[in-house]
Amino acid sequence: MVRVRRFRFEDTPGMDGQVSEPSPTLPGMGDDSATVTAVPPPEAPGAARRPSAGFAGARSAGPGAKPPDPHATAEPGAAAGFAGARSAGPGAKPPDPHATAEPGAAAPRGPSLSPSRAGDFLTCPLLYRFRVIDRLPEPPSPAAVRGTLVHAVLERLFDALAADRTPDAARALVAPEWARMQEAEPELAGLFDDDEQRAAWLDEVMRMLDRYFTLEDPRRIEPAHRELCVEAELASGLRLRGYIDRLDIAPDGQMRIVDYKTGGAPPEEFEARALFQMRFYALTLWRAQGQVPKLLQLIYLGNGEIVRYEPDEADLLATERKIEALWLAIERAMLNRDWRPRPGRICDWCAHQAICPAFGGTPPPVPDSPARRDEIPEPRDGASPV
Protein backbone atom coordinates (compact mmCIF):
# COMPACT_ATOMS: atom_id res chain seq x y z
CA MET A 1 0.00 0.00 0.00
CA VAL A 2 1.24 3.50 -0.82
CA ARG A 3 2.15 5.35 2.36
CA VAL A 4 4.10 8.53 1.51
CA ARG A 5 2.80 11.00 -1.03
CA ARG A 6 4.12 14.44 -1.96
CA PHE A 7 2.90 17.19 -4.23
CA ARG A 8 3.69 20.84 -4.88
CA PHE A 9 1.64 23.79 -6.03
CA GLU A 10 2.30 26.37 -8.71
CA ASP A 11 3.29 29.53 -6.84
CA THR A 12 0.39 31.77 -7.74
CA PRO A 13 -1.57 33.97 -5.31
CA GLY A 14 -5.16 33.53 -4.26
CA MET A 15 -7.30 30.47 -4.94
CA ASP A 16 -6.02 29.74 -8.48
CA GLY A 17 -4.10 26.66 -7.39
CA GLN A 18 -6.86 25.22 -5.21
CA VAL A 19 -7.93 21.67 -6.05
CA SER A 20 -11.49 21.29 -4.89
CA GLU A 21 -12.32 17.65 -5.56
CA PRO A 22 -12.66 15.72 -2.30
CA SER A 23 -10.16 12.95 -1.70
CA PRO A 24 -11.55 9.41 -1.88
CA THR A 25 -9.20 8.54 0.99
CA LEU A 26 -10.97 10.73 3.53
CA PRO A 27 -14.50 11.54 2.37
CA GLY A 28 -16.22 14.34 4.19
CA MET A 29 -13.10 16.13 5.37
CA GLY A 30 -12.96 18.59 2.50
CA ASP A 31 -9.57 17.23 1.54
CA ASP A 32 -8.05 18.08 -1.82
CA SER A 33 -6.67 15.63 -4.34
CA ALA A 34 -3.68 15.97 -6.65
CA THR A 35 -1.28 14.04 -8.78
CA VAL A 36 1.33 12.73 -6.39
CA THR A 37 4.46 10.62 -6.35
CA ALA A 38 4.64 7.70 -3.97
CA VAL A 39 7.47 6.34 -1.85
CA PRO A 40 6.68 3.18 0.17
CA PRO A 41 8.24 3.26 3.65
CA PRO A 42 10.00 0.28 5.20
CA GLU A 43 7.64 -2.24 6.68
CA ALA A 44 7.79 -2.88 10.42
CA PRO A 45 6.65 -6.22 11.80
CA GLY A 46 4.58 -6.45 14.93
CA ALA A 47 1.17 -7.23 16.32
CA ALA A 48 -1.32 -4.79 17.77
CA ARG A 49 -1.73 -4.41 21.52
CA ARG A 50 -4.61 -2.96 23.42
CA PRO A 51 -4.19 0.78 23.88
CA SER A 52 -4.35 2.53 27.22
CA ALA A 53 -7.03 5.07 28.10
CA GLY A 54 -5.85 8.60 27.64
CA PHE A 55 -7.53 11.96 27.20
CA ALA A 56 -8.68 14.14 30.07
CA GLY A 57 -10.77 17.27 29.33
CA ALA A 58 -11.49 19.41 26.29
CA ARG A 59 -12.73 22.88 25.51
CA SER A 60 -14.33 23.87 22.23
CA ALA A 61 -15.65 26.96 20.52
CA GLY A 62 -17.93 27.50 17.55
CA PRO A 63 -17.61 30.11 14.80
CA GLY A 64 -17.56 33.69 16.04
CA ALA A 65 -16.68 32.67 19.58
CA LYS A 66 -14.15 34.67 21.55
CA PRO A 67 -10.70 33.27 20.79
CA PRO A 68 -9.42 31.18 23.70
CA ASP A 69 -6.30 32.19 25.59
CA PRO A 70 -3.48 30.28 23.87
CA HIS A 71 -1.60 30.10 27.17
CA ALA A 72 -4.52 28.72 29.15
CA THR A 73 -4.77 25.10 30.25
CA ALA A 74 -7.80 22.85 30.20
CA GLU A 75 -10.35 23.74 32.86
CA PRO A 76 -11.07 21.24 35.61
CA GLY A 77 -14.29 19.41 34.97
CA ALA A 78 -14.37 20.21 31.25
CA ALA A 79 -16.24 17.86 28.96
CA ALA A 80 -14.57 14.51 28.58
CA GLY A 81 -12.39 14.26 25.50
CA PHE A 82 -8.97 15.47 24.48
CA ALA A 83 -6.61 16.99 27.02
CA GLY A 84 -6.47 20.72 26.45
CA ALA A 85 -8.16 21.09 23.07
CA ARG A 86 -8.16 24.82 22.52
CA SER A 87 -10.94 25.05 19.95
CA ALA A 88 -13.14 22.97 17.67
CA GLY A 89 -15.03 23.75 14.51
CA PRO A 90 -18.82 23.75 14.21
CA GLY A 91 -20.37 20.38 13.68
CA ALA A 92 -17.29 18.49 14.86
CA LYS A 93 -17.88 14.92 15.95
CA PRO A 94 -17.33 14.70 19.72
CA PRO A 95 -14.75 12.24 20.97
CA ASP A 96 -15.94 8.98 22.44
CA PRO A 97 -16.44 9.57 26.20
CA HIS A 98 -15.92 5.87 26.87
CA ALA A 99 -12.32 6.10 25.63
CA THR A 100 -11.33 8.89 28.01
CA ALA A 101 -10.42 9.41 31.61
CA GLU A 102 -12.98 10.83 34.04
CA PRO A 103 -13.69 14.56 33.57
CA GLY A 104 -11.46 16.65 35.77
CA ALA A 105 -9.15 13.76 36.59
CA ALA A 106 -5.62 14.82 37.40
CA ALA A 107 -3.02 13.99 34.78
CA PRO A 108 -0.49 11.32 35.74
CA ARG A 109 2.80 12.71 37.05
CA GLY A 110 5.23 10.12 35.76
CA PRO A 111 7.99 10.72 33.22
CA SER A 112 6.81 12.25 29.96
CA LEU A 113 8.16 12.92 26.50
CA SER A 114 6.98 15.18 23.68
CA PRO A 115 7.93 14.92 20.01
CA SER A 116 9.85 18.21 20.23
CA ARG A 117 11.93 17.02 23.18
CA ALA A 118 12.44 13.62 21.56
CA GLY A 119 13.63 15.42 18.46
CA ASP A 120 16.03 17.51 20.56
CA PHE A 121 17.71 14.41 21.96
CA LEU A 122 17.92 12.74 18.56
CA THR A 123 19.47 15.91 17.13
CA CYS A 124 21.87 16.59 20.01
CA PRO A 125 21.79 15.20 23.57
CA LEU A 126 23.45 18.40 24.84
CA LEU A 127 20.65 20.49 23.29
CA TYR A 128 18.13 18.33 25.16
CA ARG A 129 20.04 18.96 28.38
CA PHE A 130 20.15 22.74 27.83
CA ARG A 131 16.41 22.88 27.18
CA VAL A 132 15.05 20.30 29.61
CA ILE A 133 17.57 19.98 32.45
CA ASP A 134 19.08 23.48 32.56
CA ARG A 135 16.06 25.23 31.00
CA LEU A 136 18.33 27.87 29.53
CA PRO A 137 16.55 30.83 27.94
CA GLU A 138 16.69 31.20 24.18
CA PRO A 139 16.18 34.55 22.48
CA PRO A 140 13.26 34.64 20.03
CA SER A 141 14.24 34.39 16.38
CA PRO A 142 12.35 35.99 13.49
CA ALA A 143 11.78 32.55 11.93
CA ALA A 144 10.33 31.00 15.10
CA VAL A 145 8.15 34.03 15.89
CA ARG A 146 6.92 34.07 12.30
CA GLY A 147 5.91 30.44 12.72
CA THR A 148 4.02 31.26 15.90
CA LEU A 149 2.16 34.11 14.20
CA VAL A 150 1.20 32.06 11.13
CA HIS A 151 -0.02 29.21 13.35
CA ALA A 152 -2.09 31.64 15.44
CA VAL A 153 -3.74 33.15 12.37
CA LEU A 154 -4.60 29.74 10.90
CA GLU A 155 -6.03 28.65 14.24
CA ARG A 156 -8.19 31.79 14.52
CA LEU A 157 -9.30 31.55 10.89
CA PHE A 158 -11.50 28.57 11.75
CA ASP A 159 -13.33 30.62 14.40
CA ALA A 160 -15.13 32.30 11.48
CA LEU A 161 -18.09 30.91 9.58
CA ALA A 162 -17.01 28.74 6.65
CA ALA A 163 -17.95 31.27 3.98
CA ASP A 164 -15.83 33.94 5.70
CA ARG A 165 -12.57 31.96 5.68
CA THR A 166 -10.92 33.85 2.85
CA PRO A 167 -7.39 35.09 2.12
CA ASP A 168 -8.48 38.63 3.03
CA ALA A 169 -9.87 37.38 6.34
CA ALA A 170 -6.58 35.64 7.14
CA ARG A 171 -4.61 38.76 6.29
CA ALA A 172 -6.89 40.84 8.52
CA LEU A 173 -6.03 38.58 11.47
CA VAL A 174 -2.29 39.24 11.23
CA ALA A 175 -2.25 42.68 12.89
CA PRO A 176 -4.38 41.78 15.95
CA GLU A 177 -2.57 38.47 16.48
CA TRP A 178 0.81 40.18 16.20
CA ALA A 179 -0.34 42.84 18.70
CA ARG A 180 -1.51 40.12 21.08
CA MET A 181 1.82 38.33 20.86
CA GLN A 182 3.75 41.55 21.60
CA GLU A 183 1.50 42.30 24.56
CA ALA A 184 2.14 38.82 25.96
CA GLU A 185 5.90 39.00 25.26
CA PRO A 186 7.11 42.65 25.21
CA GLU A 187 10.63 41.54 24.23
CA LEU A 188 9.32 40.81 20.73
CA ALA A 189 9.29 44.56 20.11
CA GLY A 190 13.10 44.42 19.82
CA LEU A 191 13.12 41.58 17.30
CA PHE A 192 13.82 43.88 14.34
CA ASP A 193 16.45 46.54 13.73
CA ASP A 194 14.14 48.90 11.86
CA ASP A 195 10.70 49.31 10.29
CA GLU A 196 11.93 48.09 6.92
CA GLN A 197 13.06 44.77 8.39
CA ARG A 198 9.74 44.39 10.21
CA ALA A 199 7.79 45.14 7.03
CA ALA A 200 9.74 42.53 5.05
CA TRP A 201 9.06 39.98 7.80
CA LEU A 202 5.33 40.74 7.77
CA ASP A 203 5.28 40.47 3.98
CA GLU A 204 6.65 36.93 4.30
CA VAL A 205 3.91 36.12 6.83
CA MET A 206 1.33 37.32 4.30
CA ARG A 207 2.90 35.27 1.50
CA MET A 208 2.75 32.12 3.63
CA LEU A 209 -0.91 32.71 4.39
CA ASP A 210 -1.68 33.26 0.70
CA ARG A 211 0.21 30.06 -0.07
CA TYR A 212 -1.93 28.16 2.42
CA PHE A 213 -5.04 28.97 0.38
CA THR A 214 -3.50 27.38 -2.71
CA LEU A 215 -3.15 24.09 -0.81
CA GLU A 216 -6.46 23.91 1.07
CA ASP A 217 -9.83 25.58 0.90
CA PRO A 218 -10.73 26.20 4.59
CA ARG A 219 -14.33 26.90 3.59
CA ARG A 220 -14.68 23.15 2.97
CA ILE A 221 -13.03 22.00 6.20
CA GLU A 222 -14.47 21.81 9.71
CA PRO A 223 -11.70 20.77 12.10
CA ALA A 224 -12.75 18.73 15.10
CA HIS A 225 -9.94 20.28 17.16
CA ARG A 226 -7.22 22.91 16.85
CA GLU A 227 -4.11 23.25 19.02
CA LEU A 228 -5.06 19.97 20.62
CA CYS A 229 -3.05 18.66 23.57
CA VAL A 230 -2.94 14.86 23.45
CA GLU A 231 -1.60 12.49 26.09
CA ALA A 232 -1.32 8.73 26.51
CA GLU A 233 0.60 6.45 28.85
CA LEU A 234 2.55 3.49 27.47
CA ALA A 235 2.74 0.13 29.22
CA SER A 236 6.20 1.12 30.52
CA GLY A 237 4.73 4.11 32.36
CA LEU A 238 6.19 6.68 29.96
CA ARG A 239 3.64 9.36 29.17
CA LEU A 240 3.52 10.75 25.64
CA ARG A 241 2.26 14.28 25.18
CA GLY A 242 2.19 16.90 22.47
CA TYR A 243 0.18 19.55 20.62
CA ILE A 244 -1.48 18.79 17.30
CA ASP A 245 -2.10 21.80 15.08
CA ARG A 246 -5.35 20.40 13.70
CA LEU A 247 -7.34 17.19 13.96
CA ASP A 248 -9.98 16.52 11.32
CA ILE A 249 -12.58 13.80 11.88
CA ALA A 250 -14.67 12.51 8.97
CA PRO A 251 -18.34 11.54 9.39
CA ASP A 252 -17.30 7.88 9.53
CA GLY A 253 -14.86 8.63 12.37
CA GLN A 254 -11.60 8.48 10.42
CA MET A 255 -8.99 10.92 11.74
CA ARG A 256 -6.50 13.12 9.91
CA ILE A 257 -3.65 14.81 11.81
CA VAL A 258 -2.55 18.08 10.18
CA ASP A 259 0.64 19.95 11.03
CA TYR A 260 1.64 23.34 9.58
CA LYS A 261 5.32 23.97 8.89
CA THR A 262 6.52 27.47 8.05
CA GLY A 263 9.82 26.24 6.69
CA GLY A 264 10.38 24.48 3.40
CA ALA A 265 9.90 20.75 2.98
CA PRO A 266 13.18 18.86 3.38
CA PRO A 267 14.44 16.55 0.64
CA GLU A 268 12.81 13.14 0.85
CA GLU A 269 15.97 11.58 2.26
CA PHE A 270 15.84 14.02 5.22
CA GLU A 271 12.13 13.97 6.04
CA ALA A 272 12.42 11.21 8.66
CA ARG A 273 12.36 13.61 11.62
CA ALA A 274 9.15 15.32 10.48
CA LEU A 275 7.49 11.96 9.87
CA PHE A 276 8.70 10.74 13.28
CA GLN A 277 6.90 13.69 14.88
CA MET A 278 3.69 12.81 13.04
CA ARG A 279 3.98 9.12 13.94
CA PHE A 280 4.50 10.20 17.55
CA TYR A 281 1.16 12.04 17.45
CA ALA A 282 -0.52 9.10 15.73
CA LEU A 283 0.81 6.66 18.32
CA THR A 284 -0.44 8.90 21.13
CA LEU A 285 -3.93 9.05 19.62
CA TRP A 286 -3.96 5.30 19.01
CA ARG A 287 -2.91 4.46 22.56
CA ALA A 288 -5.42 6.92 23.97
CA GLN A 289 -8.45 6.13 21.81
CA GLY A 290 -7.77 2.76 20.22
CA GLN A 291 -7.96 4.05 16.63
CA VAL A 292 -5.12 4.45 14.15
CA PRO A 293 -5.39 7.83 12.38
CA LYS A 294 -6.12 7.40 8.69
CA LEU A 295 -3.82 10.14 7.39
CA LEU A 296 -0.90 12.28 8.60
CA GLN A 297 -0.53 15.51 6.65
CA LEU A 298 2.36 18.01 6.76
CA ILE A 299 1.65 21.35 5.07
CA TYR A 300 4.91 23.18 4.27
CA LEU A 301 4.08 26.86 3.79
CA GLY A 302 7.68 27.78 3.08
CA ASN A 303 7.66 26.19 -0.38
CA GLY A 304 4.08 25.00 -0.85
CA GLU A 305 4.56 21.26 -0.55
CA ILE A 306 2.29 18.77 1.17
CA VAL A 307 3.57 15.46 2.52
CA ARG A 308 0.96 12.82 3.36
CA TYR A 309 1.52 9.56 5.16
CA GLU A 310 -0.88 6.69 5.82
CA PRO A 311 0.19 4.81 8.97
CA ASP A 312 -0.82 1.38 10.14
CA GLU A 313 -0.44 -0.52 13.41
CA ALA A 314 2.90 -2.00 12.41
CA ASP A 315 4.29 1.49 11.76
CA LEU A 316 3.09 2.74 15.12
CA LEU A 317 4.40 -0.30 16.99
CA ALA A 318 7.81 0.35 15.43
CA THR A 319 7.53 4.01 16.51
CA GLU A 320 6.63 2.92 20.03
CA ARG A 321 9.72 0.70 20.23
CA LYS A 322 11.88 3.58 19.01
CA ILE A 323 10.42 5.96 21.59
CA GLU A 324 10.93 3.45 24.43
CA ALA A 325 14.57 2.93 23.35
CA LEU A 326 15.04 6.68 23.09
CA TRP A 327 13.71 7.17 26.61
CA LEU A 328 16.10 4.54 27.96
CA ALA A 329 18.94 6.47 26.31
CA ILE A 330 17.73 9.72 27.90
CA GLU A 331 17.54 8.10 31.35
CA ARG A 332 21.01 6.65 30.88
CA ALA A 333 22.35 10.09 29.99
CA MET A 334 20.68 11.54 33.09
CA LEU A 335 22.11 8.85 35.33
CA ASN A 336 25.63 9.23 33.94
CA ARG A 337 25.39 13.01 33.48
CA ASP A 338 26.68 12.37 29.99
CA TRP A 339 25.29 14.95 27.56
CA ARG A 340 27.48 14.87 24.48
CA PRO A 341 27.11 17.40 21.66
CA ARG A 342 26.35 16.13 18.20
CA PRO A 343 27.69 18.76 15.78
CA GLY A 344 25.98 19.17 12.45
CA ARG A 345 24.36 21.67 10.12
CA ILE A 346 21.66 22.32 12.70
CA CYS A 347 24.29 24.01 14.89
CA ASP A 348 24.00 27.13 12.71
CA TRP A 349 20.61 27.82 14.31
CA CYS A 350 21.46 26.85 17.89
CA ALA A 351 21.34 29.57 20.56
CA HIS A 352 23.92 27.82 22.78
CA GLN A 353 27.08 27.74 20.68
CA ALA A 354 28.94 29.97 23.17
CA ILE A 355 28.75 27.28 25.88
CA CYS A 356 29.01 24.22 23.61
CA PRO A 357 32.23 22.15 23.81
CA ALA A 358 32.02 21.54 20.06
CA PHE A 359 32.68 25.27 19.61
CA GLY A 360 35.21 25.69 22.42
CA GLY A 361 32.68 26.61 25.10
CA THR A 362 32.08 25.25 28.59
CA PRO A 363 28.59 24.19 29.69
CA PRO A 364 27.42 25.16 33.19
CA PRO A 365 27.39 22.44 35.87
CA VAL A 366 24.46 20.05 35.62
CA PRO A 367 21.79 21.17 38.13
CA ASP A 368 21.40 18.92 41.18
CA SER A 369 17.61 19.29 41.05
CA PRO A 370 16.50 19.69 37.44
CA ALA A 371 12.97 20.77 36.60
CA ARG A 372 10.35 18.03 36.48
CA ARG A 373 10.23 16.66 32.96
CA ASP A 374 6.42 16.64 32.96
CA GLU A 375 6.44 20.40 33.61
CA ILE A 376 8.52 21.27 30.55
CA PRO A 377 6.35 23.38 28.25
CA GLU A 378 5.76 22.05 24.76
CA PRO A 379 6.65 24.48 21.94
CA ARG A 380 3.59 25.37 19.89
CA ASP A 381 4.98 26.95 16.78
CA GLY A 382 6.76 23.96 15.26
CA ALA A 383 8.93 26.37 13.28
CA SER A 384 12.24 26.37 15.09
CA PRO A 385 14.88 24.51 13.08
CA VAL A 386 16.23 23.08 16.33
Side-chain angles (χ1 to χ4, degrees):
M1 179 177 66
V2 171
R3 298 275 175 74
V4 178
R5 300 181 294 172
R6 286 171 166 251
F7 66 89
R8 296 179 181 273
F9 79 111
E10 293 298 323
D11 195 5
T12 54
M15 299 297 293
D16 296 344
Q18 175 64 38
V19 182
S20 58
E21 290 299 318
S23 166
T25 306
L26 290 173
M29 282 190 184
D31 191 19
D32 49 17
S33 62
T35 302
V36 297
T37 57
V39 181
E43 295 293 334
R49 293 183 294 166
R50 292 184 63 84
S52 62
F55 307 129
R59 292 192 292 147
S60 62
K66 181 179 179 182
D69 180 358
H71 303 290
T73 57
E75 297 173 359
F82 297 103
R86 293 212 163 80
S87 54
K93 180 180 178 180
D96 180 7
H98 302 293
T100 67
E102 290 297 321
R109 305 299 292 177
S112 66
L113 188 65
S114 72
S116 295
R117 298 291 77 91
D120 286 345
F121 191 85
L122 288 170
T123 298
C124 174
L126 186 59
L127 175 64
Y128 177 95
R129 182 208 138 171
F130 286 156
R131 286 181 167 171
V132 176
I133 307 301
D134 300 273
R135 302 195 71 174
L136 299 181
E138 297 183 8
S141 71
V145 176
R146 181 183 61 207
T148 302
L149 179 55
V150 170
H151 278 70
V153 169
L154 292 177
E155 180 186 355
R156 297 288 180 261
L157 183 66
F158 286 98
D159 287 335
L161 294 171
D164 298 329
R165 299 170 195 159
T166 64
D168 286 342
R171 282 172 162 259
L173 288 169
V174 171
E177 285 302 311
W178 177 227
R180 180 189 60 77
M181 288 171 58
Q182 293 179 87
E183 182 180 358
E185 301 180 61
E187 64 270 21
L188 296 181
L191 194 62
F192 308 102
D193 295 333
D194 51 44
D195 291 342
E196 184 178 353
Q197 192 180 73
R198 182 185 300 104
W201 180 83
L202 285 171
D203 283 345
E204 181 60 23
V205 169
M206 298 296 188
R207 282 194 293 272
M208 286 187 175
L209 293 172
D210 287 344
R211 195 168 289 147
Y212 166 74
F213 283 87
T214 69
L215 297 171
E216 284 192 321
D217 185 351
R219 297 170 302 182
R220 301 178 57 250
I221 299 170
E222 291 298 349
H225 299 281
R226 289 165 278 145
E227 282 299 327
L228 173 66
C229 179
V230 292
E231 296 184 357
E233 186 172 321
L234 302 182
S236 66
L238 176 64
R239 183 160 50 103
L240 308 183
R241 61 191 306 197
Y243 282 102
I244 294 174
D245 288 343
R246 198 179 87 209
L247 183 68
D248 302 334
I249 301 179
D252 63 359
Q254 292 186 109
M255 296 186 293
R256 175 175 64 196
I257 299 174
V258 179
D259 195 68
Y260 309 118
K261 299 292 185 185
T262 49
E268 291 184 26
E269 61 268 27
F270 296 114
E271 69 184 7
R273 174 169 174 173
L275 288 177
F276 170 72
Q277 176 191 13
M278 299 299 281
R279 290 189 188 102
F280 191 113
Y281 292 141
L283 171 64
T284 305
L285 281 174
W286 180 41
R287 287 299 180 216
Q289 282 205 325
Q291 179 181 347
V292 174
K294 175 63 177 177
L295 191 67
L296 314 179
Q297 179 166 296
L298 286 155
I299 300 179
Y300 287 96
L301 300 175
N303 66 345
E305 183 165 319
I306 287 181
V307 174
R308 288 172 172 161
Y309 183 83
E310 299 177 28
D312 59 20
E313 291 188 2
D315 296 324
L316 300 189
L317 285 169
T319 300
E320 186 173 54
R321 290 192 295 270
K322 181 175 182 177
I323 290 172
E324 293 280 20
L326 178 64
W327 183 251
L328 289 176
I330 291 173
E331 290 194 315
R332 186 162 54 247
M334 289 179 178
L335 179 64
N336 298 329
R337 295 185 168 224
D338 182 11
W339 305 99
R340 300 180 186 182
R342 186 175 295 148
R345 289 187 300 172
I346 208 75
C347 296
D348 293 341
W349 292 277
C350 185
H352 308 295
Q353 283 191 17
I355 56 173
C356 178
F359 293 88
T362 302
V366 179
D368 291 331
S369 300
R372 289 181 60 95
R373 292 184 292 276
D374 57 351
E375 294 174 352
I376 305 301
E378 167 71 4
R380 297 179 59 236
D381 60 52
S384 171
V386 293

